[in-house]
Amino acid sequence: MKPVRDTTSVLLGAEPTLRRMLNYWIATALLYLAAIVLMACQVAAGHTPRDLALLLGATAAAGTLASYALIRFSAALGLAPGVLATLQSLFAIGCGMAGYAIAGPVRAALLCMTVV
């Protein structure tokens, strides 16, 4: 096997179901990244408190990594895909609400996270 293929197998697993769930996780992580970049622009413009934005960004990053671990090891933990999806969506809604509460003039743009 090629090194890239080995790394992909380690990160995404070998089962097609697990890979599909982790592909959705990657899409979710990209949405969080977009929201964090938008929040950073708000902080730079002086519309959003820096400390609250850092706390929210750190929370979103930690939750995203925790979601990865739960998905990646869901079989060993005995977690059904529906449970994982519910946990991830509740977390996303919470982050979206927090972002909306602290954001400045473009707060409506942060509502895109509720799509998750």
Side-chain angles (χ1 to χ4, degrees), residues 14-73:
E15 304 87 30
T17 305
L18 179 61
R19 282 181 180 251
R20 186 178 68 246
M21 288 174 38
L22 286 171
N23 283 332
Y24 290 138
W25 173 83
I26 291 168
T28 302
L30 291 174
L31 278 175
Y32 280 124
L33 182 62
I36 289 170
V37 168
L38 182 61
M39 188 72 70
C41 292
Q42 287 288 303
V43 169
H47 297 299
T48 301
R50 182 178 182 270
D51 293 338
L52 292 175
L54 283 173
L55 178 62
L56 180 59
T59 302
T64 301
L65 291 175
S67 293
Y68 169 79
L70 288 174
I71 292 168
R72 182 67 178 90
F73 302 107

